[in-house]
Amino acid sequence: REKDDKYKIRMPKLRVAQEYKDKRKSIVDVERNIFKFKKSGEEKSRKREKEEKFFRETFMYDKEISVINTATAECSVPSERRVDLPVTAGEKLDVIDVTEGHAVICRNSEGRYGYVLVEHLNFR
């Protein structure tokens, strides 16, 4: 038997490199994240619908929501009331409607609506 073992061809065990294992795991994670991304998109659309419903009830707004103009916030302004829209400097806003006085109704990128003073906006 020792003679047979001497002439026996030994096949090396193929070992998977650690880097390859990590890549394989990351590929699986990416595939799973794709499905989560779609789910979060649905959640965002539900949130936008909820914000729009709240806006219509609070502001008693029955017109069609259309963007009149776009503006950029010049400075950061926290909201004092629920109907005011908190704004950060450099944020792009969609102007929905012009009201009497110095305020306009705006929508931010998150889909929230509220009053913003014209003094804080730049219409370039």
Side-chain angles (χ1 to χ4, degrees):
R1 288 188 179 175
E2 290 176 12
K3 249 185 181 181
D4 292 339
D5 287 339
K6 191 176 185 181
Y7 297 108
K8 186 176 180 182
I9 300 172
R10 294 186 183 206
M11 295 296 289
K13 287 187 178 179
L14 298 175
R15 295 186 180 166
V16 179
Q18 186 67 28
E19 294 172 7
Y20 181 73
K21 283 183 183 178
D22 293 341
K23 284 182 183 176
R24 224 173 48 199
K25 287 179 185 176
S26 66
I27 290 171
V28 171
D29 293 340
V30 168
E31 289 174 359
R32 289 183 183 159
N33 287 340
I34 291 171
F35 297 117
K36 288 180 184 176
F37 178 75
K38 289 181 182 176
K39 189 174 182 181
S40 67
E42 292 173 3
E43 290 172 4
K44 285 182 181 178
S45 65
R46 282 190 214 128
K47 186 176 178 182
R48 283 183 181 258
E49 289 173 6
K50 184 179 175 183
E51 287 288 339
E52 184 178 332
K53 183 179 177 183
F54 178 80
F55 164 69
R56 288 186 180 279
E57 291 172 358
T58 306
F59 291 79
M60 291 180 262
Y61 197 84
D62 57 351
K63 303 178 205 172
E64 182 181 342
I65 296 174
S66 60
V67 178
I68 298 171
N69 200 348
T70 56
T72 307
E74 290 182 340
C75 58
S76 297
V77 181
S79 64
E80 297 175 9
R81 305 174 294 169
R82 176 62 174 121
V83 293
D84 293 334
L85 184 65
V87 177
T88 57
E91 183 178 12
K92 295 196 185 286
L93 302 170
D94 296 329
V95 178
I96 304 298
D97 200 0
V98 180
T99 61
E100 295 177 14
H102 299 284
V104 291
I105 299 174
C106 293
R107 176 178 61 196
N108 65 5
S109 61
E110 296 173 0
R112 289 191 60 194
Y113 296 86
Y115 289 115
V116 179
L117 293 176
V118 177
E119 303 152 5
H120 302 301
L121 299 177
N122 187 1
F123 291 95
R124 286 188 189 174

